Amino acid sequence: GAVVSQHPSRVICKSGTSVKIECRSLDFQATTMFWYRQFPKQSLMLMATSNEGSKATYEQGVEKDKFLINHASLTLSTLTVTSAHPEDSSFYICSALLTGQPQHFGDGTRLSIL
Amino acid sequence: QKEVEQNSGPLSVPEGAIASLNCTYSDRGSQSFFWYRQYSGKSPELIMSIYSNGDKEDGRFTAQLNKASQYVSLLIRDSQPSDSATYLCAVNRAAGNKLTFGGGTRVLVKP
């Protein structure tokens, strides 16, 4: 089946650091990938839609200059949390879309900002 | 009104019993409906997808969809302790492929 790999699985870093998270579709090409954020005991909230070869589409309330998304190839999207602060600590999950199928989720990245 | 609503639970069921989870959605144009299971600290995994009114069965899981009532449910038969998790209802918006998730229902299956 379709596999989505997300890396790293866990990041702990100091406030002010920028953190890059990678999302790869391993056995299929994904023109569209999605980035979600999940705070403790809450559901997944869509942050942005990543489109290969074009700018990402951000959901209302998500700062595009803080959460930089690059979808440079059909198998890779990256999310960079710039100048991360403790309130950015969360579980970040990507998914990839294969036409005609439900979204396939990566294993998630737990980000902790000290 | 939230776009996708679920009872947060916890829903406590004895082992071997049927767990019944409900979900309502507000967008009448929604076309696709999904149930995901999420264990603590893990990402969601797809359990069921359903696209047309009626029932869809897969092993111990049955999804039911009623578009007129804007309601989708999930039944888990012969519940096992390993079914203890949070179950997320997700709805595909009419436009595009974005998913909107409900808040999730926590299920506890007691041996």
Side-chain angles (χ1 to χ4, degrees):
Chain A
V3 178
V4 177
S5 172
Q6 192 172 337
H7 177 81
S9 59
R10 176 98 195 217
V11 180
I12 303 173
C13 58
K14 294 181 179 180
S15 185
T17 306
S18 291
V19 178
K20 180 185 282 188
I21 304 169
E22 292 187 349
C23 180
R24 293 181 186 273
S25 55
L26 296 185
D27 52 357
F28 65 100
Q29 294 182 328
T31 56
T32 303
M33 292 184 177
F34 301 92
W35 288 97
Y36 296 85
R37 180 168 54 182
Q38 186 177 34
F39 291 108
K41 299 191 183 302
Q42 294 186 26
S43 191
L44 277 73
M45 294 298 294
L46 180 64
M47 298 176 66
T49 303
S50 174
N51 303 296
E52 189 270 336
S54 63
K55 291 183 179 180
T57 305
Y58 291 82
E59 296 298 301
Q60 190 173 11
V62 178
E63 300 175 58
K64 62 181 180 181
D65 294 330
K66 180 162 184 69
F67 299 99
L68 302 179
I69 292 172
N70 187 323
H71 195 151
S73 76
L74 286 171
T75 59
L76 174 64
S77 175
T78 61
L79 168 67
T80 301
V81 184
T82 61
S83 187
H85 292 285
E87 59 266 27
D88 298 321
S89 297
S90 188
F91 191 42
Y92 292 85
I93 309 171
C94 74
S95 73
L97 188 64
L98 180 60
T99 303
Q101 292 193 17
Q103 291 182 27
H104 300 274
F105 285 88
D107 288 338
T109 297
R110 189 158 302 282
L111 176 62
S112 300
I113 308 299
L114 305 177
Chain B
Q1 181 189 8
K2 293 182 181 178
E3 293 184 57
V4 181
E5 293 206 56
Q6 297 179 252
N7 187 320
S8 61
L11 175 64
S12 184
V13 296
E15 184 175 357
I18 296 175
S20 178
L21 293 79
N22 303 316
C23 172
T24 58
Y25 59 95
S26 60
D27 186 350
R28 278 198 173 276
S30 299
Q31 300 293 323
S32 307
F33 307 86
F34 308 92
W35 284 99
Y36 287 87
R37 178 175 63 197
Q38 186 176 27
Y39 292 112
S40 180
K42 303 294 185 182
S43 68
E45 54 179 320
L46 182 68
I47 297 297
M48 292 285 287
S49 58
I50 187 165
Y51 306 98
S52 56
N53 283 329
D55 296 359
K56 180 181 178 182
E57 185 175 320
D58 184 359
R60 295 186 295 112
F61 299 98
T62 299
Q64 299 173 316
L65 174 62
N66 184 326
K67 289 186 178 180
S69 300
Q70 294 174 244
Y71 173 92
V72 58
S73 67
L74 179 71
L75 298 177
I76 307 174
R77 289 183 301 281
D78 188 22
S79 295
Q80 301 297 309
S82 59
D83 294 327
S84 297
T86 296
Y87 289 80
L88 301 169
C89 172
V91 175
N92 188 304
R93 298 177 191 173
N97 291 297
K98 297 179 182 180
L99 285 178
T100 301
F101 283 86
T105 297
R106 187 166 157 237
V107 173
L108 295 174
V109 180
K110 297 184 176 180

